[in-house]
Amino acid sequence: MAKRLDILVPFLNERESVAGFCALAGDLAAQAKERFGLDTNFIFIDDGSTDGGGALYGEHMTGDWSLITLARNFGKETAILAGLDQSEGDYVLLMDADLQHTADVALDMIGRIIADPDLDMVYAIRADRAESRTLGRYLANGFYWLINMGQRYEIPANAGDFRIMTRRFAMALRQLRDQRRFNKGLYAWTGFRQERILYKPADRQGGESKWSRRKLIAFSLEGFTSFSVVPLRMVSLFGGGVAALGFIYGIKILLEVLFTGVAVPGYPSLIVAVLVLGGLNLALTGLVGEYVWSALSEAKNRPNYIIKSMSGPSAVPLAQTRKTGRASHDD
Ligand code: UDP
Ligand code: MG
């Protein structure tokens, strides 16, 4: 029997690129069949779109496809999980709906993963980002440096969700039911042999990027608190260091008063100490709060997502699927 390739496409308000994507999808499926003998099935995940674009896929798609409509916007990371839960392919490819991920890069990744049975994931790295020298890039590199400190596995910089994986990798990912999902961390945590290829994303075809600066910061914090205790340790160390310095300074003042009788003129140093320590305290409280919030989200053990409906030629009737993203223990 021919091997099956599932292509997961999470989307949020991508109405403008539906027709274009469906053309790309038909072309990609034909080439995957011709070059690798794969049967392709597309799984679209409507992550709470409000532009009615979801229905358009039905008008333009041919071949095997299904559409999972989530009850609201759960975020791309969770939408991917919803797709993984429904996928059964021997290979699973993740692609954006906005046409930034091109068919030739996808075919390149498919070819590589098929050629090497020992390889479980191929992911695309943005070549354009690796070279750029903007402030944002430096911040991002700093972020990856921090998050990877002292980790047993490395979360690669500049890699997104444009990836292909084997069935066993997909099964492993499905078992990770983190509520606050940071996929890049999960891919790395899973292990397995992974290979990277460089690519240059195409320009967005209509619509706009869903990533505001605010969202990126929130997302980075999510990455931190679910994959690293380093920030907590650093703050503790820093706090300890500051306290030690304060102690030494106190002794110095005491000695000065005892031996020279000069009282240290005070206010500026007091204010500095109060502000520095107060600020540090607040920052640390906030950081601890992040971890507590993270723990609370996991403790509630809510389903990761809720499915509203399933449609399309290869869709399983909703009654037969797990309607929610809660992990059942028999899979
Ligand atoms: N997306 C999604 N849910 C979200 C945000 C984005 O499913 O909450 C989809 C979006 O429609 C697109 C993909 O994720 O198909 C990548 O998003 P985007 O193009 O905004 O990110 P960028 O390419 O700018 O990194
Ligand atoms: Mg995009």
Side-chain angles (χ1 to χ4, degrees), residues 14 96 98 100 204 209:
E14 303 287 2
D96 281 1
D98 58 8
Q100 286 193 280
R204 214 171 203 290
S209 176

Side-chain angles (χ1 to χ4, degrees), residues 11 13-15 18 46 49-58:
F11 67 92
N13 297 336
E14 303 287 2
R15 190 185 176 91
V18 174
D46 185 345
S49 296
T50 49
D51 64 354
L56 292 180
Y57 287 97

Side-chain angles (χ1 to χ4, degrees), residues 79 107 173 205 214 247 302:
L107 287 162
L173 271 185
Q205 304 287 304
R214 191 177 57 81
F247 187 70
R302 286 188 183 149

Side-chain angles (χ1 to χ4, degrees), residues 214-251:
R214 191 177 57 81
K215 260 189 160 178
L216 271 179
I217 293 174
F219 189 58
S220 310
L221 269 175
E222 221 144 277
F224 260 137
T225 50
S226 49
F227 282 93
S228 178
V229 287
V230 170
L232 272 185
R233 291 206 184 124
M234 281 194 344
V235 181
S236 315
L237 276 179
F238 193 77
V242 171
L245 286 179
F247 187 70
I248 294 171
Y249 187 55
I251 300 226

